[in-house]
Amino acid sequence: MTPAMDNNITRVARGHYTIHTETTIDAPVGQVWDTLTDFDNMSNWSSSLQHFDGDFHLGGTITVTLRAMGMTRKLDHELTEFDAGRLFAWSDPFLLGMTDYHRFLIEPIDENQSRFINTDQVKGGAAWLIGRPVANSTMKIYQGFNTELQAEAERRHRSGR
């Protein structure tokens, strides 16, 4: 297993933080995408993201089932970016007037290795007051998700699934 790399939080401005996490996965892009979008089995390997449902295309509305801090919540999002096999993203209000911009991107390193980049932003609303702690908490969740995705995609790749 390849270790996670380049994880950071950047303060862009007062009340605006970016979260960047990424990991190298020893599996091809297609395998990582198939694992990430196998929503019916996501809860079997992910402790945070449990399921996605809805219109999975640009402009489509999806419902994300998320488990964090001991709670399970369902959040609706409109996909603002979508490139099948490569990326999807949304940007919506989420708490106390704050807005996120959550993005999943898979890039090829070579034919058997991929880079998974999981980013977000916290801005607006109460972000001037609680943006840093929210970003810190979010980054920990994303790092855990990245590690779990990495393990599952590599397991599936090794088993030929």
Side-chain angles (χ1 to χ4, degrees):
M1 210 185 285
T2 309
M5 55 190 234
D6 194 20
N7 299 299
N8 61 63
I9 296 171
T10 303
R11 182 175 182 233
V12 176
R14 185 171 187 247
H16 183 180
Y17 297 88
T18 61
I19 302 147
H20 180 100
T21 65
E22 66 179 65
T23 192
T24 299
I25 301 176
D26 293 328
V29 168
Q31 182 70 67
V32 178
W33 178 262
D34 290 348
T35 303
L36 178 64
T37 59
D38 181 5
F39 303 133
D40 290 335
N41 290 303
M42 186 173 265
S43 64
N44 294 330
W45 58 264
S46 172
S47 60
S48 58
L49 288 177
Q50 298 295 290
H51 194 266
F52 286 73
D53 192 29
D55 300 320
F56 207 67
H57 59 80
L58 183 62
T61 300
I62 61 169
T63 300
V64 178
T65 304
L66 170 70
R67 186 183 314 144
M69 296 181 253
M71 298 182 299
T72 300
R73 299 180 6 185
K74 290 188 176 195
L75 305 167
D76 292 330
H77 298 292
E78 179 181 334
L79 292 177
T80 56
E81 287 187 83
F82 183 83
D83 183 1
R86 187 174 166 268
L87 81 92
F88 62 98
W90 62 79
S91 179
D92 291 297
F94 70 96
L95 175 69
L96 300 173
M98 294 182 287
T99 301
D100 73 339
Y101 182 63
H102 196 163
R103 190 171 197 250
F104 298 108
L105 172 65
I106 306 165
E107 298 177 333
I109 295 172
D110 60 37
E111 65 183 39
N112 286 307
Q113 202 173 51
S114 306
R115 180 175 296 109
F116 177 67
I117 303 167
N118 187 355
T119 61
D120 212 336
Q121 293 184 39
V122 176
K123 63 182 181 176
W128 66 272
L129 181 63
I130 62 170
R132 173 59 82 169
V134 168
N136 288 340
S137 174
T138 299
M139 186 161 112
K140 287 178 187 168
I141 292 167
Y142 291 1
Q143 288 172 317
F145 179 79
N146 294 0
T147 299
E148 293 167 339
L149 174 64
Q150 175 187 12
E152 182 64 9
E154 289 177 356
R155 184 191 68 74
R156 291 181 183 197
H157 181 60
R158 283 190 309 273
S159 71
R161 181 175 170 209

